[in-house]
Amino acid sequence: MDELNRLLEAVTGEAGRGLFFSGSAGIGKSRLLREGVATLPTDRFAIWSIAASATTAALPFGGLVQVLPAEQPQGLSPAGVLRWALNVLQQQAAGRRIVLAIDDAHLLDPPSAALVHLVARAENATVVGTLRDGEQIPLPIRALWTDDLVEHVELSPMPQEETADLLTAILGGPVDAGSADRLGRLSAGNPLLLRELVHAASGSAELKRTYGIWKWTGRLELAPSLTDLIDTRVGKLTDGVRAVVELVAFGEPLGLHLLKQAAAQADVETAEERGLIAVIQHDRRTDVRLAHPLYGEVMRRRCPVSRTRRLQAHLAELLEQVGKRRRDDLLRVAVWRLDSGTAQDPGLLVDAAVQAFTRYDVPLATRLARAALNADGGSDAAELLATILMFADRPDEAIEVLDAVTPEPGDERRFCRWLTVRGMVSYWGLSQESTVEEIASRVEQLTDSADRSRVHAFEAIMRLHRLDTSTAVRLSRQVLDRPAAGVASRELARSTIAYVQAAQGELTRSGTAIAQVHSAAASWRTDMPYLQLALELARGTRLMLTGDLAGIDAIVADEFADLAGAGDFRLGTGYLAILQAYAARLRGQSDAAMRTSLGACAVLATSRVYAGLAQAERAQSAALRGDATQAVAAMAEADRTHAPGMAVLYPWLEQARGASLAASGDLPGAVKHLADLVDRLRSDGFAGHEVHVLHDLVRLEQAGMAVGPTCSDGGRRTVAQRLAELSERVDGVLPPLLARHARAAVTDDPTDLLAVADDYAALELTVYAAEATSQAVQRLRRQHSAAANDARERLAGLLGRCDLIRTPALQAGAPVLTEREWQVARLAAHGAPSRAIAERLYLSARTVENHLQRIYAKLGVTGRAELWAALRAIPGHDGGDGS
């Protein structure tokens, strides 16, 4: 829209200067030019639109054949012909301003280009047009902006958020973030190429919709229209230049020094000059990439198999000769060897598979590990492949691979590794809870302290997940107390303890433990890449319980998130999406929360590890919007998909169930359920969770409700009293704030409620802030306080930051207006007098006044001046004009 306005200003503004857009093919230049010209009034402007082409470029004035008469005067000099052509345009304009719009002006023949330049210099004339990047531009056209006759604007690729929006528009529904990112990179922000990619994938199994979210697998189908578009840009290549492009297509990013050894220097320079490759300086390295990702897709597909294999083998040989100096060189050599059919070293393939897995590239790691096993890689390859298959949601296949390499008695090292991998697959992949007892009984066969520690660390985290927290902590401490325990074993045990500490409200100690695990990542990642999931679970749980939304933003945007998304590491991307949805929900961004939670459900649809948790977050997002139907459906899916071995996640699921009951209108059922959940959490010692469930009761106006067991004085603590107790035990700034909220609700103190709301807003907990403000408004209205209108203004401001939110706390005090009352109220709030409202709604003025009096009474306002804020303070309504 900014570019369109700029084009129109260039034509219609006082200066009347022209404008040329340049950019890559398909970026939207032509459409922008057409739309801009189409808006110009023909009574003021004489408009000629010209589409230059390669066909007309060889003919004098061929580019302007659509404008000039077919017959030209004879005997004129070249300059005379140009003056004649300009006179023709001025005569046809008949006093109107000339607008000459040239699409693909780089294809103009020399006389046409000279005439365009002459028109730009003429009075009462403007020239606008488009140019394609990388093309030779006629000198008269280039002189347009060098002589300051027109502006020259380079169109940039679409930013990622616009790519996602365009994909949503094309497919008629939201697209998961990973797919949008990959398609955006592949199209290089080019709208035309993006549309072609989507259309090529439509109808195939590679593009499918799950829980309303579109997901693209990453396999690419190139439609003929797409290959034609790329062919136009690439053009014909000499054998030498083609060899350069092919080498880069199979090897990018390829070191410039390596490319120069494989191809002639002149051919490399020609490929760069033609815009086919790009030389990029990064730190001390100089890499070569293709100028557009799709060039590689076309070149790779069209390269014969025999030449493809030769090129890949050649690349591997070159890198081996110069030495594998970069971190990923080993992986690159292994892939080239595998693809070229020259992979003979199983050790190389195993090491490469490990490296791919440490980068969370599950498909590539699977392929390399399987190749290593087929190349007689033995038990190491088998255990690695089984581990990767587990995280590729293929546990049955993983068990088959493991059972085929059962270790011989006496081989303790192999038995330890085999036992832990098999235990992980059977417990989390196949949901076999008996695995814990099996591991516990077989660990006694091990005599080496390091091996025993590794098995105990796995047993501990399994016991945590099935809610045997005391044993989990005891085993984890044993591992940490053993000097012989390996780094990965120790940090896995520390992650288990960090999770328990967070759930119990020891959030500071949990944060310290998490930081230790994270700082040791370089030492454990190669041995146990999946430990990252245990770290993220502990870290994510702690951040959610502390209400640290900025912290959630940080881990959702860190390197692991990028690697997991690019590498199809679904457990990682799925869990991070749950965290992202949680943060969006508490900020009141219900659209993003719903979209992201649905995306998490789609990513985790084939895995039961976090599937129930994703559905619970979906239920919470639906409940926030007041969508009871979807909330109930999501809870049913949560119950169906939640694995028994993930019992430790029950606080999140049961808290979501309470929100679902409340959204369905069953407030007594929601209150009872949450009260029972408080008792269970208290029994389990999960004080970190308990404060949040108690706060849910506060949000349902149950701050004075008795909860928990009978105390020594014969009474029971209220929700507010219990929160006050826990605020002294649970770390962080949030528990005292929740306790203040409860106390203010019990004492009916609107001033304290508004102060609490301000503190919530400072933490970006916008939903809580709005609810506390709504509770204050209700109390101020009951007190007939003059401060009610100011509180309504504050509530309206908070709701204005949110998408649609309809929680019980917001709905409880919301007045109910009839449809007619809404129409009258909106019009009155926008300043319409009663007579005008009456005429518009076909009512009498007296009837309008009667409606207004009822509206004032319902809203608790004294007149029209307070209407606007009062309407905006009602959730789900924006105070629109009533039309």
Side-chain angles (χ1 to χ4, degrees):
M1 184 58 70
D2 290 340
E3 290 83 0
L4 182 60
N5 291 335
R6 192 167 181 177
L7 175 64
L8 294 175
E9 177 63 24
V11 176
T12 62
E14 289 185 12
R17 296 180 65 208
L19 177 68
F20 270 70
F21 289 116
S22 65
S24 60
I27 203 167
K29 308 181 300 296
S30 300
R31 181 178 179 182
L32 187 60
L33 184 65
R34 287 195 305 270
E35 290 186 1
V37 169
T39 62
L40 298 175
T42 55
D43 59 333
R44 291 177 51 204
F45 298 96
I47 305 162
W48 284 278
S49 295
I50 298 155
S53 68
T55 304
T56 60
L59 303 173
F61 290 111
L64 300 179
V65 68
Q66 307 155 58
V67 174
L68 298 175
E71 298 295 329
Q72 298 178 11
Q74 299 297 314
L76 292 179
S77 66
V81 172
L82 290 176
R83 286 193 296 271
W84 164 80
L86 179 59
N87 288 333
V88 168
L89 293 178
Q90 290 174 332
Q91 290 170 11
Q92 293 176 348
R96 295 171 295 171
R97 186 172 188 82
I98 294 173
V99 177
L100 197 57
I102 310 105
D103 194 19
D104 287 339
H106 54 278
L107 294 176
L108 287 174
D109 59 280
S112 294
L115 178 57
V116 169
H117 188 93
L118 188 62
V119 171
R121 287 187 172 278
E123 294 290 338
N124 201 35
T126 303
V127 175
V128 292
T130 68
L131 301 160
R132 186 185 299 166
D133 284 348
E135 299 290 347
Q136 189 72 30
I137 300 174
L139 289 178
I141 299 300
R142 186 180 296 278
L144 289 174
W145 56 87
T146 58
D147 291 349
D148 201 30
L149 296 173
V150 302
E151 291 184 72
H152 181 212
V153 176
E154 293 188 11
L155 293 181
S156 302
M158 284 189 303
Q160 186 56 37
E161 58 271 18
E162 290 185 21
T163 298
D165 291 342
L166 179 56
L167 284 169
T168 299
I170 295 171
L171 290 168
V175 181
D176 87 284
S179 299
D181 184 59
R182 288 192 295 273
L183 284 165
R185 286 201 303 267
L186 196 56
S187 65
N190 186 312
L192 177 58
L193 292 180
L194 185 66
R195 288 178 183 275
E196 292 289 348
L197 287 171
V198 174
H199 290 157
S202 296
S204 71
E206 313 307 334
L207 184 65
K208 57 185 178 181
R209 199 172 193 175
T210 307
Y211 292 110
I213 304 294
W214 287 99
K215 182 176 177 61
W216 179 57
T217 64
R219 294 186 186 134
L220 186 65
E221 294 295 333
L222 294 180
S225 57
L226 196 53
T227 54
D228 290 345
L229 189 66
I230 297 166
D231 285 343
T232 300
R233 180 67 186 88
V234 172
K236 293 183 178 180
L237 305 177
T238 64
D239 290 342
V241 173
R242 177 176 293 279
V244 169
V245 177
E246 287 177 343
L247 282 165
V248 178
F250 288 108
E252 66 177 336
L254 195 61
L256 181 59
H257 69 288
L258 210 64
L259 181 59
K260 287 181 176 179
Q261 292 185 45
Q265 173 76 20
D267 292 328
V268 174
E269 293 174 358
T270 301
E272 185 182 5
E273 288 171 358
R274 289 195 51 182
L276 300 174
I277 61 172
V279 179
I280 303 164
Q281 189 71 36
H282 182 69
D283 293 333
R284 290 177 297 173
R285 298 182 299 186
T286 305
D287 286 333
V288 182
R289 288 185 177 273
L290 292 174
H292 197 288
L294 286 180
Y295 296 171
E297 292 293 336
V298 171
M299 298 305 292
R300 287 189 290 269
R301 290 184 183 219
R302 291 186 174 174
C303 189
V305 173
S306 57
R307 186 158 76 238
T308 294
R309 292 195 164 203
R310 176 174 56 78
L311 289 169
Q312 291 166 331
H314 188 38
L315 286 167
E317 291 165 4
L318 285 172
L319 193 50
E320 288 169 337
Q321 288 170 9
V322 301
K324 298 185 282 291
R325 293 175 292 182
R326 300 180 186 179
R327 186 176 63 176
D328 60 349
D329 281 351
L330 179 144
L331 182 59
R332 290 157 63 78
V333 168
V335 171
W336 287 332
R337 287 294 183 197
L338 183 59
D339 289 344
S340 65
T342 59
Q344 300 174 345
D345 181 358
L348 171 68
L349 293 170
V350 167
D351 290 345
V354 169
Q355 191 174 104
F357 196 27
T358 61
R359 292 167 52 172
Y360 304 103
D361 190 338
V362 173
L364 179 58
T366 304
R367 186 164 165 254
L368 288 164
R370 190 180 299 282
L373 183 62
N374 294 337
D376 297 325
S379 58
D380 288 345
E383 288 159 15
L384 177 59
L385 176 60
T387 303
I388 299 167
L389 288 172
M390 155 70 192
F391 291 98
D393 297 330
R394 294 152 70 179
D396 294 308
E397 189 177 347
I399 289 292
E400 289 180 11
V401 171
L402 285 169
D403 288 349
V405 291
T406 304
E408 296 294 330
D411 190 345
E412 285 200 5
R413 177 197 167 276
R414 275 204 54 209
F415 179 72
C416 167
R417 297 277 175 162
W418 180 88
L419 182 62
T420 52
V421 173
R422 199 180 193 288
M424 178 172 59
V425 175
S426 61
Y427 184 82
W428 282 290
L430 300 177
S431 297
Q432 294 178 357
E433 293 183 85
S434 61
T435 302
V436 181
E437 283 71 31
E438 181 183 349
I439 282 183
S441 65
R442 301 184 75 174
V443 70
E444 301 305 322
Q445 301 174 33
L446 299 171
T447 59
D448 181 80
S449 182
D451 290 339
R452 289 173 67 89
S453 295
R454 188 179 184 92
V455 177
H456 277 147
F458 272 88
E459 181 189 347
I461 197 165
M462 290 178 191
R463 288 192 181 277
L464 167 65
H465 280 79
R466 75 175 202 177
L467 216 54
D468 185 357
T469 53
S470 59
T471 306
V473 171
R474 177 177 57 79
L475 288 170
S476 296
R477 295 202 184 283
Q478 287 179 13
V479 173
L480 292 174
D481 290 342
R482 287 180 186 146
V487 174
S489 303
R490 296 173 63 84
E491 301 313 320
L492 180 59
R494 203 185 313 276
S495 296
T496 299
I497 292 173
Y499 184 96
V500 176
Q501 289 171 333
Q504 292 178 343
E506 299 179 34
L507 298 164
T508 301
R509 293 178 65 192
S510 175
T512 301
I514 289 166
Q516 285 183 265
V517 179
H518 188 265
S519 65
S523 300
W524 55 252
R525 182 158 285 130
T526 300
D527 181 16
M528 201 181 287
Y530 44 84
L531 197 160
Q532 186 80 37
L533 286 175
L535 170 62
E536 298 303 340
L537 180 62
R539 183 161 55 174
T541 300
R542 178 183 175 276
L543 290 171
M544 288 193 286
L545 293 179
T546 56
D548 185 356
L549 306 190
I552 291 175
D553 293 343
I555 66 171
V556 166
D558 72 4
E559 183 185 28
F560 170 65
D562 291 338
L563 292 173
D568 200 27
F569 190 59
R570 297 172 199 168
L571 288 182
T573 55
Y575 182 70
L576 292 177
I578 293 168
L579 294 183
Q580 192 174 8
Y582 178 91
R585 172 164 59 85
L586 294 193
R587 286 179 170 127
Q589 299 167 353
S590 64
D591 292 346
M594 178 56 67
R595 181 175 63 253
T596 310
S597 62
L598 284 169
C601 293
V603 168
L604 297 166
T606 57
S607 171
R608 300 190 66 192
V609 176
Y610 294 132
L613 185 62
Q615 293 291 350
E617 186 54 47
R618 173 190 166 203
Q620 286 275 26
S621 299
L624 178 65
R625 299 173 66 85
D627 186 349
T629 301
Q630 181 162 191
V632 170
M635 282 312 305
E637 278 292 283
D639 291 337
R640 184 183 68 82
T641 59
H642 183 58
M646 298 297 292
V648 73
L649 299 178
Y650 84 84
W652 303 113
L653 273 73
E654 297 310 319
Q655 197 175 357
R657 197 182 312 279
S660 178
L661 287 167
S664 301
D666 185 4
L667 294 183
V671 169
K672 181 181 185 309
H673 175 79
L674 292 172
D676 291 344
L677 180 55
V678 166
D679 290 341
R680 183 179 177 186
L681 291 168
R682 185 172 188 160
S683 175
D684 287 337
F686 286 176
H689 284 285
E690 187 184 348
V691 293
H692 286 269
V693 179
L694 288 165
H695 181 240
D696 281 351
L697 288 168
V698 175
R699 297 168 65 200
L700 294 176
E701 291 287 12
Q702 300 298 318
M705 174 185 174
V707 291
T710 302
C711 301
S712 57
D713 59 6
R716 298 169 68 200
R717 297 289 181 262
T718 64
V719 168
Q721 290 170 332
R722 178 61 176 163
L723 268 172
E725 290 177 0
L726 291 176
S727 69
E728 298 178 1
R729 288 172 40 196
V730 178
D731 300 333
V733 298
L734 189 56
L737 181 54
L738 301 180
R740 283 174 50 206
H741 186 179
R743 184 173 61 251
V746 168
T747 59
D748 276 344
D749 189 329
T751 302
D752 285 352
L753 284 168
L754 290 173
V756 165
D758 288 341
D759 289 344
Y760 281 143
L763 296 174
E764 296 187 82
L765 301 173
T766 314
V767 171
Y768 295 167
E771 290 178 336
T773 305
S774 179
Q775 290 174 331
V777 169
Q778 295 172 47
R779 287 157 174 79
L780 289 168
R781 285 184 58 196
R782 287 200 300 267
Q783 297 168 11
H784 302 288
S785 170
N789 194 51
D790 178 64
R792 273 193 294 263
E793 288 278 6
R794 293 168 69 170
L795 177 57
L798 288 166
L799 292 176
R801 299 182 204 171
C802 303
D803 300 324
L804 173 65
I805 57 173
R806 296 175 182 269
T807 68
L810 293 172
Q811 298 284 74
V816 179
L817 302 182
T818 66
E819 184 59 35
R820 179 62 81 188
E821 286 170 344
W822 266 109
Q823 291 174 329
V824 172
R826 284 173 174 150
L827 290 168
H830 282 79
S834 296
R835 186 174 298 280
I837 296 173
E839 291 177 357
R840 181 164 179 175
L841 299 180
Y842 303 103
L843 302 172
S844 68
R846 181 181 294 277
T847 300
V848 170
E849 287 298 328
N850 289 338
H851 278 310
L852 284 172
Q853 293 306 312
R854 285 194 295 273
I855 291 166
Y856 297 157
K858 288 183 178 181
L859 298 181
V861 300
T862 58
R864 291 172 181 253
E866 301 172 12
L867 262 181
W868 173 242
L871 294 181
R872 290 193 303 127
I874 300 176
H877 297 281
D878 59 4
D881 63 7
S883 58

